[in-house]
């Protein structure tokens, strides 16, 4: 029976910031995410949790804000993806399909109702749904993909460093570097070890795919961020920023 899937993420975030002295300040936080998910057939697909740290520090060289260095380390977790991930193993919610090749007499110039009737006359004459000679494909939805273990949420690790300086009395410039690396990708593994399953709709064995997480894929993001501004008067400020970034992955 089809029913709405149920994907729930419960989160808790704590954060604290304090100044050690005029030169050092720290930011410490953590986020807790708990995933609980069932597909449209009511089967459990996710039951995991993760703690993501958020750490940061700032060093004020002269203790007056004119030259500051900062660094941070963070992790971010996304939710379990809906659609083709959460319901990949669900036989409910999406129709199962079979496809037959038409090999009957040529049909043309007929009204739609007569055209369809002629096609089904031929189809029934060769045995209808019992025919396997002209069966081109299809199968039971969700039977070829299974989720034997709980899925983990994809996550990204970010390291950032930067420096900012006051320019004169009215200006500032800042440069930051960001480095991000993703993990826990969703993949569908199909190999000799995953075996086969019997699909009763087509009466044959089909490859068994395992939907799971992996870190064998790569996705990285590196960027330099430049920004600056200047106050020309009490009513006029100018500012600009520029980002150079590179995203690579497979």
């Amino acid at each position: 029976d089809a029913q709405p899937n149920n994907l729930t993420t419960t989160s808790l975030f704590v954060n604290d910031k304090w100044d050690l002295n005029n030169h050092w300040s720290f930011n410490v936080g953590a986020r807790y995410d708990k995933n609980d998910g069932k597909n449209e057939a009511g089967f459990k697909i996710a039951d995991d949790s993760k703690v993501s740290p958020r750490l940061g520090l700032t060093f004020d060289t002269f203790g007056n804000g004119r030259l500051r260095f900062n660094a941070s380390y963070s992790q971010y977790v996304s939710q379990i993806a809906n659609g083709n991930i959460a319901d990949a193993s669900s036989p409910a919610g999406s129709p199962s399909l079979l496809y037959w090749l038409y090999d009957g007499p040529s049909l043309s110039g007929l009204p739609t109702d007569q055209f369809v009737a002629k096609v089904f006359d031929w189809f029934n004459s060769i045995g209808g749904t019992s025919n396997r000679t002209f069966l081109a494909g299809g199968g039971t939805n969700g039977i070829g993909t299974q989720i034997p273990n709980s899925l983990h949420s994809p996550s990204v690790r970010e390291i950032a460093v930067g420096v900012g300086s006051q320019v004169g009395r009215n200006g500032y410039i800042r440069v930051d570097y960001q480095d991000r690396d993703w993990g826990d990708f969703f993949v569908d593994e199909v190999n000799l070890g995953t075996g086969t399953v019997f699909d009763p709709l087509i009466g044959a064995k089909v490859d068994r795919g395992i939907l799971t997480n992996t870190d064998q894929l790569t996705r990285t993001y590196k960027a330099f961020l430049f920004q600056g501004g200047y106050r020309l008067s009490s009513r006029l400020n100018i500012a600009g920023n520029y980002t150079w970034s590179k995203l690579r992955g497979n």
Side-chain angles (χ1 to χ4, degrees):
D1 294 329
Q3 57 187 333
N5 59 30
N6 188 354
L7 307 176
T8 303
T9 301
T10 304
S11 303
L12 176 66
F13 180 76
V14 293
N15 188 82
D16 191 21
K17 181 181 182 299
W18 74 92
D19 297 324
L20 181 63
N21 49 44
N22 290 337
H23 298 282
W24 291 97
S25 60
F26 300 90
N27 189 92
V28 178
R31 180 184 176 94
Y32 172 79
D33 293 283
K34 169 67 175 176
N35 277 318
D36 183 82
K38 294 181 179 179
N39 63 20
E40 291 183 342
F43 300 142
K44 178 80 73 173
I45 62 166
D47 183 14
D48 77 310
S49 61
K50 189 169 185 176
V51 176
S52 306
R54 312 285 173 84
L55 309 173
L57 63 87
T58 300
F59 176 68
D60 190 332
T61 306
F62 304 109
N64 57 9
R66 294 188 63 87
L67 181 62
R68 291 185 176 184
F69 295 87
N70 62 276
S72 65
Y73 175 86
S74 305
Q75 288 185 359
Y76 302 93
V77 178
S78 66
Q79 62 183 6
I80 299 295
N82 205 340
N84 62 340
I85 297 299
D87 292 315
S89 63
S90 172
S94 297
S96 300
L97 301 174
L98 291 177
Y99 308 90
W100 280 268
L101 296 176
Y102 177 76
D103 194 39
S106 297
L107 302 173
S108 63
L110 298 175
T112 302
D113 57 340
Q114 295 182 27
F115 183 90
V116 173
K118 292 287 186 181
V119 170
F120 274 94
D121 286 343
W122 171 84
F123 183 66
N124 292 327
S125 72
I126 63 169
T129 57
S130 299
N131 179 276
R132 289 297 182 265
T133 303
F134 298 105
L135 182 63
T140 305
N141 179 66
I143 200 170
T145 300
Q146 299 180 7
I147 307 176
N149 301 308
S150 173
L151 294 176
H152 304 302
S153 296
S155 61
V156 58
R157 180 271 302 156
E158 178 186 274
I159 297 175
V161 293
V163 57
S165 175
Q166 184 175 341
V167 179
R169 299 184 61 182
N170 299 327
Y172 74 94
I173 57 173
R174 182 180 176 90
V175 179
D176 290 280
Y177 172 73
Q178 294 177 342
D179 185 305
R180 297 172 182 168
D181 187 14
W182 279 259
D184 280 327
F185 294 90
F186 294 127
V187 295
D188 190 6
E189 293 185 354
V190 180
N191 53 48
L192 294 177
T194 58
T196 60
V197 293
F198 181 78
D199 188 338
L201 191 60
I202 63 175
K205 292 182 178 181
V206 296
D207 291 331
R208 176 176 181 255
I210 302 298
L211 187 64
T212 185
N213 297 98
T214 184
D215 287 327
Q216 294 183 9
L217 302 178
T218 300
R219 181 180 299 158
T220 60
Y221 173 86
K222 303 179 187 299
F224 287 94
L225 296 82
F226 307 88
Q227 56 182 311
Y230 196 84
R231 186 180 65 182
L232 297 175
S233 67
S234 59
R235 297 185 177 182
L236 181 61
N237 293 305
I238 61 172
N241 61 78
Y242 177 82
T243 299
W244 178 91
S245 62
K246 188 171 187 178
L247 176 67
R248 302 188 68 182
N250 55 29

